[in-house]
Amino acid sequence: MGVGMTMTEKTSAAWLREARFGLFIHWGLYALPHPPHWRPREIEQQGEWIMQTARVPLAEYRQLARRFRAPRFDADQWVRTAREAGMRYLVFTAKHHDGFAMFKSFHPYNVVDATPFARDPARELAEACRRYGIRFCLYYSHALDWEAPGAPRHAEPVAPAAFERYLREKSFPQVRELLSNYGPIGLM
């Protein structure tokens, strides 16, 4: 165990080492086909970093939300398949660096309020995980957020007061939502 770790951290770390096999669902607006003028063939990192690497303006990137439909999303099937494969946990990207929340949030830039999909995949996955005995875990990017004013972008310096405001006004409230509204969270 790591020096200086709390008992909860030690228990979580031990559980994760023992679980050994899980599923990481890395999914968001960046999973949609990109417009040709973003030059995806010339860009090394296309997936979740496309907004940064292609220097896509936020106003343009936000338009992807209008195309997000996910007609084949089936949380029950995804989790059942993971369980049948022997997986013991599932990590879902609740928010990546693009700032888009893949859960229902007070902040309007989220999958329920900003897309035609209008469903909460985090909730559906959390419920399916409980049904199949899979530990539900979350990934939430608080260190980078290309949507929120004052949040770090990549290698750009950020004023400490602006970062504090971002944490207080967006990040901390969203983390509170995730920890309060989705049942037990295995790891975050």
Side-chain angles (χ1 to χ4, degrees), residues 21-100:
F21 188 41
L23 176 64
F24 195 128
I25 299 175
H26 208 44
W27 188 38
L29 296 181
Y30 45 80
L32 293 171
H34 309 130
H37 68 277
W38 289 4
R39 304 177 325 273
R41 287 191 180 93
E42 299 170 21
I43 297 171
E44 218 173 280
Q45 299 174 346
Q46 292 184 31
E48 69 277 5
W49 281 83
I50 189 71
M51 186 178 168
Q52 175 77 22
T53 56
R55 295 181 176 82
V56 179
L58 176 61
E60 187 175 336
Y61 186 83
R62 281 178 176 246
Q63 293 176 23
L64 289 175
R66 291 188 277 157
R67 295 185 11 231
F68 192 90
R69 299 189 189 294
R72 293 184 292 193
F73 172 69
D74 183 338
D76 196 76
Q77 179 188 12
W78 289 14
V79 175
R80 184 177 61 248
T81 301
R83 184 67 189 163
E84 289 170 357
M87 294 180 197
R88 308 238 344 253
Y89 65 94
L90 180 148
V91 181
F92 181 63
T93 306
K95 180 178 79 81
H96 204 270
H97 308 329
D98 62 358
F100 187 76

Side-chain angles (χ1 to χ4, degrees), residues 117-178:
F117 183 60
R119 289 167 45 194
D120 186 338
R123 177 166 312 288
E124 293 179 36
L125 287 165
E127 291 169 357
C129 281
R130 282 192 291 279
R131 280 193 297 277
Y132 291 99
I134 299 277
R135 190 173 285 203
F136 182 64
C137 306
L138 293 167
Y139 173 90
Y140 179 91
S141 174
H142 71 286
L144 295 175
D145 188 320
W146 303 325
E147 184 273 339
R153 299 288 187 267
H154 184 46
E156 303 166 18
V158 175
F163 183 56
E164 180 66 32
R165 188 170 40 259
Y166 151 71
L167 290 174
R168 194 176 54 253
E169 294 177 3
K170 182 177 181 184
S171 186
F172 291 163
Q174 284 189 326
V175 168
R176 197 172 300 111
E177 287 175 330
L178 290 166

